[in-house]
Amino acid sequence: MLKIGIIGCGKITEVRHAPEYSENPNCQIVGFFDMVPEKAQAMAEKYGGRAFDSLESLLASDLDAVSVCTANIYHAPISILALRAGKHVLCEKPMATTRQDCEAMVEEAQKSGKFLMIGLNQRLAKAHMKAQEILQSGEMGRVITFETKFCHPGPEGWTGSKDSWFLDKRIASFGALADLGVHKTDLIYYITGQKIVKTSAVVTTLDKKLPDGKPISVDDNAFCIYTLESGAVGTMHVSWTNYGVEDNSTKLYCTDGVIRLYDDPKYSLIIEKRNGDVTPYQLDFLTSNKEQTSGGRTSTGVIDAFVNSIITNTPSALSGESAIHAMNVIFANEESAKLGKTIDVK
Ligand SMILES: NC(=O)c1ccc[n+]([C@@H]2O[C@H](COP(=O)([O-])OP(=O)(O)OC[C@H]3O[C@@H](n4cnc5c(N)ncnc54)[C@H](O)[C@@H]3O)[C@@H](O)[C@H]2O)c1
């Protein structure tokens, strides 16, 4: 039975990490830590285990693995400390806030021989997995263009606060660009099996304001034009200013037809063949922020994948190493937006 600790006891711990670990028969949550002690205490009362009064004491205990669910700038330092303490780490996205920190996390995982996994749960959505399989089988030919979107009303609907750290550049580092964009950038890499080699991006703050009326210090929209290794070109739009129904859709326009993902209320995947055949699949739904915060939870599979990786000693598809590509694209997007030119992804 794996012994688990959770660091950071906010929303994602409440709706995902704590309930999904507690439902997994191969592990047991034995400790929580949060910089606000009452939050760790509340989680321990609900899910068992104890609230630790410091990060050091939690990492010094006999845990096998931890989830890092803090605000963005703490992901790298805490993950590195946990790996050094001999724990496997599941770190929430975005992996870190600098390229150097992302690389340091991967190096530390290699040195420690422990697993480092990043919570890029979109790879595990059933329709995304099926689309990847269909595309890799060759039955849709080659991708020519694509469009992917993740647009919702912003973190206020998630945290319930109009001035949370998500809106503060000093703690979040990025806005919608990485909060949502890292999922969709990684998804394009995963589904097509191709790296993004160039990007041209506009990363901007168009609407969102703090309660005092000042604009937030991070972006609320990012528009990115991606070129893949094959020369295919597509767009990613991520936004915190969609005040209607959440849009989490992707379309891939291929030489033999179109793959439509999560853009239809009934079917999560629709295959439209060039010869006119249409095959709809109902595989699952992506839970929107609104549904998750109102208790309508479906398992993302991330926690089970992490636990499974450790108990079978098998590296996960969501490894730190594989998450670095999407982060490098995010950093290239920032550079492109700043310089106003197309950037080659490092
Ligand atoms: N995979 C996903 O789809 C997904 C969804 C939502 C959030 N997230 C990520 O999860 C992370 C947490 O988001 P959230 O929505 O739970 O935020 P939140 O503000 O609700 O919770 C963060 C918690 O971490 C605590 N904390 C912050 N810094 C800490 C530190 N140094 N040490 C200990 N505790 C600390 C805070 O007190 C708070 O309780 C973010 O990085 C976010 O991007 C991922």
Side-chain angles (χ1 to χ4, degrees), residues 17 20 47 118 160-161 230 275 336 342 344:
H17 291 252
E20 294 189 20
Y47 291 99
I118 310 299
S161 159
S230 64
N275 66 10
S336 167
T342 302
D344 291 330

Side-chain angles (χ1 to χ4, degrees), residues 7-13 16 33-36 39 68-72 74-75 78 92-94 119-121 158-159 165-166 179 183 289:
I7 303 160
C9 301
K11 201 75 201 174
I12 197 69
T13 290
R16 187 169 304 165
F33 172 67
D34 195 288
M35 66 203 305
V36 180
K39 290 187 152 193
V68 178
C69 301
T70 60
N72 300 348
Y74 306 109
H75 287 181
I78 294 179
E92 264 305 341
K93 49 55 55 175
L120 291 166
N121 49 284
W158 169 254
T159 58
W165 65 265
F166 277 97
D179 181 48
H183 276 304
N289 273 359

Side-chain angles (χ1 to χ4, degrees), residues 54-82:
S54 69
L55 176 64
E56 293 69 27
S57 59
L58 179 133
L59 294 180
S61 69
D62 68 340
L63 299 172
D64 299 295
V66 295
S67 271
V68 178
C69 301
T70 60
N72 300 348
I73 55 160
Y74 306 109
H75 287 181
I78 294 179
S79 297
I80 289 172
L81 283 176

